[in-house]
Each structure stands twice: as structure tokens, then as C-alpha cells.
Amino acid sequence: MNRRLLTLVVMVIAVSFMVGSSLCYSAEPIKIAGIFALTGRAAHIGTAQKDAVLLAIDETNQQGGINGRMLEMVMADTESNPTKAVMALKKILESQDVVAIIGPTLTGTAMAMRGFIEKEKIPTFMHSGGDVILKAPLDKKNPNSMPKWTFKSPYKAADAMGKICQYMNQHGIKKIGFIYSNEGFGKDGVRNVKVQAPKYGVEIVAQEAFQPKDIDMTAQLTRINAKGVDAIIAWTVGPAMGIIAKNIKQLGIKAPLFECHGAGDPIFWKVAGESGEGVMMPSTKIVVADQLPDSDIQKKMILDYVKAYRAKFNREPGTMVAYGADAAFITVNAIKKVGPDRAKIRDAIENTTGYVGISGIYNISPQDHNGLSMDDIVMIKATKGGWKLLD
Amino acid sequence: MDLLLKQKDNLCFGILALVIVAIPVFVESKYYFIVLNVIGLNTLVVVGLNLLIGFAGQISLGHAAFYGLGSYFSGILTVNYGFPLWPAMLVGMLATGAVAYLIGYPSLKLRGNYLVMATLGFGIIINILMGELEQFTGGHDGLMGIPPLAIGGLTFDDDLKNFYLIWSFVFFFMLAARNLLNSRVGRALRAIKGSEVAANSLGVNTADYKVKIFVLSAMFASVSGSLYAHYITFISPSSYDFHYSIQVVTMVIVGGMGSLWGSLFGAGILTFISEALHIAKQYHIIAYGVFLCLVLVFLPEGIVVGIYNLFLKRKTRKLIIK
């Protein structure tokens, strides 16, 4: 008796699933895949980017879609794990009608996916930070085997470092201390600062590392301070951004603190609290859009997007949001131009020039699959829970 | 339980072989193949680990490191030094075994669960080294461009070919594990599982056997790691962190400690469930946790053993009623 009831229930559920899924969409939508770190250690970045991409797609759909066809995002979660990212990619490639991919979030997952993307020939706009995605050849023995189908929206980390050093040069800062988290992102920063600092006449007199999960950096900061530095650069993301700011206040160090381009985000204030006051960093214009001069051609675009973002999600967008949105908009524009064909979309993305985005003005070319330059980055200062544009 | 498995073991291996051959006939999706391949890779690690947990009664929290050593030996030797593919894998396996011996020898001489601490620390050290030894490992950017495995003219460069490759390894390694358990060594291990003191008093060198089984279990993980590296062709430290060690221990426990077929089901079910639960969107982690709790509360002996016991109970109850 009981078993019969159970069978009935299972059958009803199964049938309702089948009917439901076939009735969901009457018109044929154009499918774009979104692969994000929705769970795992980068979940806070991945979910922000997911929202940004969803918003961009909603906007296109409200304007009537592309030639009457709506856009639909197929979503997958990398769990911040390279193996899972490849699995997610394969799952998405199962449905042949996905025309482009946006994502993933982390550089490690991006690198694991890259080879398969090139093999499957599907245009992919990544929003992960690492320059290595575009710099490393696909085949170690052939330095010319550069990725053809892979693009990325965040500006190069080298340019962000360059911007800081340029600012220091303009403001008479000569001797600096560099403190970084001892993992991929931090080490990339060390490589970059060694190239960029000499270009602008800045000398690195102290260099200290800490472990990503450390909860106190006073020892390293004391050593740096003892060298009599004019400023300190901290290259890390996550809670350490705030810990360093707090430690500097506790130690009474007068040298100004510069942080990385990932710091211009509401998260910064959560981890730093009041100690965040006065910290400077390179950033996209999204967090200081209302302070931009009216002559700035990005201003209107950014303000519109920020308004829509606030209305929909009821929170402030950060830098990570800008990267997700730009990747989505450029891809959608390419689809608008050439229709839902993978190869044509790739070519259209590669020929995007002078596109006014949120992170900057994209001039993508076969040699540069990113397309941003140092001029797209602004220096900002953390004040009173918000940001001030520096000149 | 053991009795049932021994009687029906050959039948089970036959079924496994049939299923492996038959799956590609029914499945076309590349996605299902990568899921099956990841299940296969996990099964190799879990079978090895289960020999250690189920029979030597010792837990290792460093199997991600052995898995990683296999991957990195294969990757570094073939990419940086142009080593031939299969010998690189063999070198990785032997070197991993040697490393495991160095850790196991002192810590398994001690009574109690000292191996847990040793492997826990070891796993973290290896994970840090993967990121730090940049000139060899490529650091946190990872090691890319690892060539796929090949036999003669056959290159294992897609999901289907890798399916056959990985699952052949699973089949033969499981067969080897079964034969080992049915040999003199296996009897000694079973004696240790039953009572270490009794085994010792009967002249079984328990410490020695435990070290041997630990080395063997590390080698299983290493082979799996090598296969992974050649399949995905890219490796980076984040695949080999502490979480992976925990994950494989969980698979052993959910599948059933000391059960060979439990290893297969533990790896299969947990890998599959974590994929299938993506339907639950961001709640999939909660759902996964709930599933684990349910299994451990209602089937504490593991899924395979637990369900078999339930089946037995039912049978006896029916007999009693009659």
C-alpha cells in the first residue's frame, strides 16, 4: 500500500518536471553561458559578477532582445576549483546552441578551462585577473601559440601597478616598502612592481611577505617602517587588506598606504573599518562615477548602469561588477552585430575598437585580447566609507 | 559482509567490466564522460585509501599530496624535461611510494593515530611547495601544456578515450586490491583489522604491514594523479589542497570502510551527487551536507554495507513472521 503511494508520488513529480521544462520557453532564445565561482573561496566575487552579467542580459532583453530573440544565460558554478570548472565547461558545451561563454572568476579555473575552450572553438570572455591567461602560450614549445578564443575584461595587473608608481612619481614619493600575500596574486605583484617602479624613479627599499590567512602583519610592517619609507604598497585581496590598514594605524606609521586594484570594493570597508580612511588604490571608475568630470565619455554609461544595479540588487556595485558587466556587454554587442555564430562572434569581439565600457575604453585586437590601457585606471582614496577620485 | 563479497566478487568484476564496455554505447554526452572519468580517478584514490583506513585502521589526511605528487611528477618530467610519458608516471609512482615510506615508517611505529598528524602536516607542506617551487611547478599560475598519454599511435586526447584508459586502470587496480586482500598479506591485514594485539601475538609484524599498505595506498593515489594531469593537461596547487584529502576520506566512509566495492560506490555517489545537486543552485552545498548527515545517521557502516545489512534484516524479519 505504502509503496504504491510512493511510486505514484515519484511518477507525478517526474511527469511535472518533464512538462514544466518543455513549456518554459516558447520562443527560441539565444543562449550564453555564464561560468562563475558561485561557491568556494571566491564566491563573493563570483556572485557579484553573476549579478552584473544577469543585469546586462536583462537590459538587452528589455530592449527587445536580438532580432526578436531573447538572450538566456545558462549558469554553471566552478566551486572555485579547477577540475569542477572544466566539468562545468563540458556540461555547458553539451548544449550545442550556446554561442559564447562569460567567465570564469578565478585565474586558476580560467587556466584549466583555456585549453578546452581553444579546442572547442567557443568565444569566451573571462573576468579573472591574472595576466597569464593571455600571456602564456598554449604550447610551451611554440611561443606563438597564443589563445585565439579567449578574451579577458579586467585591465592588466602590470598597468595597475604602473598607475600607482606613476602617481608616486607625481607626488614626490621615492622610497617604498612592498608587502604582499605569499600566493599567486601577491607574487605576480612582486614581479610587476620590480618592472614598474624603476620606470617612474621609485625605489623598493623593503619587501616583505605574509601568508594569506595571517591575522597580524605588525612584524613585517615594523621592519618596512624601519627602512624609512615614503609609502607602503600592500598587494593582497580579502581580509588581509583590512588587517594591514589596521596594523599601520596601530603602529602609528605615517607613510601613506597604497593597496591593489581589487580593493576598490565595498568589501574593503567591511574588512578595514575606520582604519581604511586615507588608503589609496588604483580602480575602475565605477566606484567614483559621480565625481567624474562631465567631459568624461564613460560617465553617463557608468551612472546609468550603477542606477540600474542599485535598483535591482539594492547594494553598491564594486570593481568586480564592472569586469563582469563589460565582458557581458561586449559579447552581447558582438552577437547583435553578427548573429548567433561562434566563429563570427569571436571575430567581432576581436574587432571591438573604441568601445566605451565601465572599466574603460576597450580597443581589442589580435595582439591584445584585453584592450584596456593604463589611462583607463584612476587613483582613488578611501574616505568616510566611500571613495574620492584623486587626480 | 566480507563473505558475501568474496562469493560474488568474480560476478561483480564481470559486471563492472560489462558496464565499462557498455557505457559508451548508451552515453554520448562529453559531460557525462568527464563526470565518469572524475569518478574513476577518485575511485583509484579511494580504493587505495580504503586499504589503509579499512584494514590498517589508520587515517591519512594527506592523500591530496600523494595525488598531487603523481600529477606533478608526470607534469614536470614530461613538460620540463621531455621525459617519455609512461616512464614518467612510473617514476612518479615509485617516488611517491618512497616519500610515503619516509613518513609512514616513523609514524606507524607509534601506537595510536599519529599518522593523521604526520600526513596532515605533510599534505600542507606539499601544497605550499607546489606554489613556491616556481621554476619547476609553474607556481600558482600552474603547469600547462601537459601532453596526453599515448600507446603507439593511439593518443588519449578526448573524454571517451580517457574513459577507457581511466576505467581500465580502475578495473585492474581493484582486481589487484582484491587479490592482495585474498593473499597471505590480506589475511594478515584482516587479522590486524580484527585485533592488532592478537595479530601481534600471533607473529604478524603489524607495524611493517601498516607501512607497506600505506605506501601502496599512496601509490594508488599517485597513479590517479598522473592520469588526471595527462587528461586535464593543466595542473595547479588549488586542485591538491586539504579539501581534497577530506573529500576522499569522506568517500571511504560513505562507501563503507574495508569494502572494496564500497570504495567504488563512495567515490561514484559523492562525485555524482555533488554534480547533480547543482540543480539546487547556491544551496547545493547545504543539500550535500544534509545528504552526508543522512547517510552517516542511517547507514553508519557506509552505503554498500549499510544497504546490504538492511536487506538482510528484512529477510530475517520475513522468515520470523513466517
Side-chain angles (χ1 to χ4, degrees), chain A residues 72-363:
Chain A
E72 186 195 326
M73 185 160 83
V74 190
M75 220 180 325
D77 180 8
T78 65
E79 300 179 31
S80 311
N81 172 316
T83 314
K84 291 277 181 174
V86 175
M87 289 166 89
L89 174 69
K90 299 249 163 164
K91 188 175 184 180
I92 272 168
L93 289 171
E94 271 317 289
S95 67
Q96 282 300 316
D97 44 357
V98 168
V99 294
I101 297 174
I102 297 166
T105 308
L106 282 176
T107 307
T109 53
M111 289 303 290
M113 282 168 57
R114 201 179 64 150
F116 292 98
I117 286 166
E118 296 292 323
K119 217 153 113 191
E120 297 281 350
K121 300 194 185 347
I122 180 160
T124 303
F125 220 122
M126 301 186 164
H127 32 59
S128 21
D131 295 348
V132 62
I133 297 169
L134 300 178
K135 257 188 351 207
L138 292 164
D139 180 357
K140 258 204 170 168
K141 288 175 203 104
N142 176 10
N144 291 323
S145 60
M146 284 306 168
K148 203 172 159 230
W149 298 81
T150 313
F151 301 86
K152 89 176 184 82
S153 59
Y155 46 72
K156 298 165 204 86
D159 284 345
M161 190 67 82
K163 191 76 188 180
I164 298 182
C165 295
Q166 189 190 41
Y167 181 87
M168 289 176 160
N169 181 23
Q170 288 160 357
H171 291 79
I173 293 170
K174 296 242 155 35
K175 289 195 296 182
I176 59 159
F178 191 80
I179 179 166
Y180 62 99
S181 62
N182 207 0
E183 35 78 47
F185 183 74
K187 291 202 155 175
D188 197 46
V190 177
R191 279 193 291 270
N192 283 326
V193 78
K194 281 187 178 149
V195 176
Q196 298 295 331
K199 271 196 208 166
Y200 297 98
V202 174
E203 192 194 348
I204 309 160
V205 292
Q207 182 185 318
E208 294 285 341
F210 59 87
Q211 294 309 318
K213 290 200 177 102
D214 283 359
I215 48 164
D216 184 86
M217 288 84 176
T218 43
Q220 289 96 327
L221 289 167
T222 310
R223 278 201 293 274
I224 289 177
N225 196 39
K227 295 268 169 66
V229 293
D230 300 331
I232 296 170
I233 301 180
W235 213 252
T236 180
V237 284
M241 299 188 299
I243 298 170
I244 291 173
K246 283 178 188 160
N247 286 167
I248 282 187
K249 290 270 148 68
Q250 285 158 3
L251 290 170
I253 296 174
K254 289 285 170 309
L257 173 65
F258 291 80
E259 295 215 7
C260 75
H261 51 299
D265 198 278
I267 290 167
F268 175 80
W269 284 107
K270 273 189 204 150
V271 294
E274 277 177 14
S275 311
E277 195 70 29
V279 177
M280 288 174 276
M281 62 210 76
S283 167
T284 50
K285 293 174 181 171
I286 191 167
V287 293
V288 288
D290 45 349
Q291 298 165 43
L292 291 170
D294 287 331
S295 58
D296 193 301
I297 49 169
Q298 283 174 266
K299 186 171 181 177
K300 192 184 164 318
M301 151 101 188
I302 300 177
L303 282 178
D304 287 349
Y305 184 84
V306 169
K307 211 171 117 191
Y309 188 92
R310 276 191 200 132
K312 181 150 185 171
F313 303 113
N314 197 23
R315 62 184 130 90
E316 287 297 306
T319 291
M320 304 300 176
V321 170
Y323 301 146
D326 282 331
F329 278 125
I330 295 174
T331 310
V332 169
N333 282 343
I335 301 172
K336 268 185 195 159
K337 216 187 281 170
V338 295
D341 177 285
R342 286 182 187 177
K344 283 185 192 157
I345 292 172
R346 190 210 82 89
D347 294 343
I349 294 176
E350 198 171 64
N351 289 320
T352 303
T353 49
Y355 171 76
V356 181
I358 298 168
S359 313
I361 294 154
Y362 286 84
N363 287 305

Side-chain angles (χ1 to χ4, degrees), chain B residues 41-58:
Chain B
L41 293 170
N42 286 338
T43 305
L44 275 178
V45 182
V46 173
V47 166
L49 189 60
N50 208 345
L51 290 179
L52 181 73
I53 296 181
F55 293 93
Q58 294 285 331

